[in-house]
C-alpha cells in the first residue's frame, strides 16, 4: 500500500471521530483534525453567513474569519456547549458585526442579533454528476429559491436556514439566536408562508411564457399552411 492510500485511510478513520475528539487533536495543532472540522461545518457556516451578508464572496470570507478565530482561541472552548454551537455563534457574531459596520445606525433589535451571537458560513455542496439539461434545471430552481429566501426579513431568513436547511431543532435554533422557542416557531411559520408567496409570484409571472409558439416555429407554420392551401383544389 503506497503512502497516498495510507493517508486516505487515516483521513477516513479520523473522519468518523467525534467533534470533541477532533477538537482535542486540533488543540495540539493537528492539521488533519482541523481539515476535517472545516469540511464538516463549511456548508452550515456558509449558509448562515450568506443569509445575513447577501454576498457570496464576503460570506466565504466570514467563514474563513470564523475558523481562524475559533482555531486560534480553542483554549476558550470549555465544552459547555457543542463545538458546532460554539462555532456557529462565532460565525453569527462575525456576520452581524459586518452588517452593523455597513449600517452603523441600525438598531440591534432591527437586525435581531443573538444575545451570544455567532455566525455560520456555508459552502455550496458539490452536486452529483448529472446531464447538462438536468443541471440547468437544478440551477434555475436553486436561483429561484435563493432569490425568494433573500427577500425574507432577516430574522425570518436566519430561522428558516437553521431549521429547514440545517435541520436544527427548535431548541437549538432558539439557543443560537437567543430567543424563545415560541419565537422560533412563529418566525418559521411566517417564513414558510412568505417563501410560498414569493415562489408563487415568481412562477405565475412566467405563466404567459408556457407553450411558446413563435419565431421560426411560427413562421414555418405559416409556410406549411400556405403550401397546403396551394395544393387544395378550389383555392
Amino acid at each position: 500500500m503506497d503512502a497516498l492510500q495510507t493517508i486516505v485511510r487515516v483521513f477516513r478513520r479520523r473522519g468518523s471521530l467525534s467533534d470533541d475528539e477532533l477538537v482535542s487533536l486540533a488543540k495540539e495543532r493537528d492539521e488533519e483534525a482541523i481539515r476535517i472540522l472545516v469540511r464538516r461545518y463549511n456548508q452550515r457556516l456558509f449558509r448562515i453567513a450568506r443569509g445575513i451578508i447577501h454576498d457570496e464572496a464576503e460570506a466565504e470570507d466570514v467563514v474563513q474569519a470564523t475558523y481562524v478565530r475559533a482555531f486560534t482561541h480553542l483554549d476558550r472552548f470549555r465544552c459547555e456547549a457543542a463545538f458546532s454551537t460554539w462555532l456557529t455563534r462565532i460565525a453569527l457574531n462575525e456576520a452581524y458585526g459586518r452588517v452593523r459596520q455597513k449600517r452603523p445606525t441600525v438598531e440591534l433589535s432591527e437586525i435581531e442579533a443573538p444575545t451570544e451571537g455567532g455566525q455560520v458560513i456555508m459552502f455550496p455542496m458539490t452536486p452529483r454528476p448529472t446531464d447538462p439539461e438536468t443541471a440547468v434545471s437544478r440551477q434555475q430552481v436553486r436561483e429561484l429559491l435563493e432569490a425568494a429566501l433573500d427577500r425574507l426579513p432577516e430574522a425570518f431568513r436566519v430561522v428558516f436556514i437553521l431549521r429547514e436547511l440545517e435541520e436544527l431543532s427548535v431548541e437549538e435554533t432558539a439557543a443560537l439566536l437567543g430567543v424563545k422557542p415560541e419565537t422560533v416557531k412563529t418566525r418559521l411559520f411566517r417564513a414558510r408562508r412568505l417563501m410560498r408567496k414569493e415562489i408563487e409570484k415568481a412562477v405565475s409571472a412566467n405563466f404567459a411564457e408556457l407553450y411558446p409558439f413563435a419565431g421560426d416555429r411560427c413562421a414555418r407554420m405559416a409556410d406549411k399552411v400556405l403550401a397546403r392551401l396551394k395544393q387544395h383544389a378550389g383555392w
Side-chain angles (χ1 to χ4, degrees):
M1 182 169 57
D2 60 28
L4 179 59
Q5 289 177 319
T6 301
I7 293 173
V8 170
R9 289 195 175 185
V10 170
F11 189 84
R12 285 177 176 172
R13 283 201 301 270
R14 287 201 168 190
S16 64
L17 295 178
S18 68
D19 283 0
D20 289 344
E21 291 171 322
L22 290 170
V23 167
S24 295
L25 292 170
K27 287 181 177 179
E28 302 300 323
R29 300 188 179 183
D30 187 300
E31 292 188 7
E32 286 183 15
I34 291 173
R35 287 179 182 276
I36 293 170
L37 287 169
V38 168
R39 291 169 65 91
R40 187 171 289 181
Y41 292 107
N42 268 342
Q43 179 159 287
R44 174 188 290 191
L45 296 183
F46 181 82
R47 280 176 169 166
I48 294 177
R50 172 62 178 78
I52 295 171
I53 298 294
H54 287 287
D55 180 272
E56 293 199 358
E58 188 169 3
E60 187 170 337
D61 189 60
V62 167
V63 177
Q64 293 179 26
T66 297
Y67 285 130
V68 170
R69 182 168 297 182
F71 289 121
T72 55
H73 294 87
L74 279 179
D75 56 314
R76 298 182 184 178
F77 177 57
R78 304 301 182 187
C79 298
E80 296 173 355
F83 176 74
S84 59
T85 300
W86 185 69
L87 190 63
T88 299
R89 284 175 176 165
I90 295 174
L92 286 167
N93 284 335
E94 178 70 22
Y96 279 123
R98 297 190 185 205
V99 170
R100 287 194 292 271
Q101 288 177 357
K102 293 180 179 180
R103 296 182 289 167
T105 59
V106 175
E107 295 293 330
L108 289 179
S109 58
E110 188 175 333
I111 62 174
E112 299 201 12
T115 54
E116 296 182 21
Q119 299 170 314
V120 185
I121 307 175
M122 133 208 153
F123 288 87
M125 294 178 64
T126 302
R128 295 178 181 177
T130 185
D131 62 272
E133 185 175 350
T134 300
V136 170
S137 297
R138 287 182 176 177
Q139 174 72 9
Q140 292 173 337
V141 171
R142 184 178 67 83
E143 290 176 354
L144 172 65
L145 294 175
E146 286 182 349
L149 185 57
D150 283 344
R151 287 191 288 270
L152 291 182
E154 187 170 288
F156 296 170
R157 186 169 61 250
V158 174
V159 167
F160 188 89
I161 290 171
L162 292 173
R163 290 283 291 118
E164 296 292 345
L165 304 187
E166 289 306 308
E167 299 182 341
L168 298 187
S169 68
V170 171
E171 292 71 22
E172 289 173 321
T173 303
L176 280 172
L177 300 180
V179 299
K180 297 179 180 179
E182 293 73 16
T183 302
V184 170
K185 294 177 182 178
T186 299
R187 290 180 185 176
L188 180 59
F189 174 78
R190 293 177 179 173
R192 286 171 174 167
R193 185 171 59 184
L194 289 173
M195 280 285 287
R196 190 178 302 114
K197 288 182 179 179
E198 290 290 343
I199 293 170
E200 288 174 352
K201 187 191 305 180
V203 172
S204 63
N206 295 308
F207 281 167
E209 298 177 12
L210 294 176
Y211 299 143
F213 201 94
D216 292 341
R217 196 178 179 193
C218 181
R220 285 196 301 270
M221 177 59 72
D223 292 339
K224 291 178 181 179
V225 170
L226 286 171
R228 293 189 63 174
L229 285 173
K230 289 177 181 178
Q231 294 174 1
H232 198 276
W235 193 80

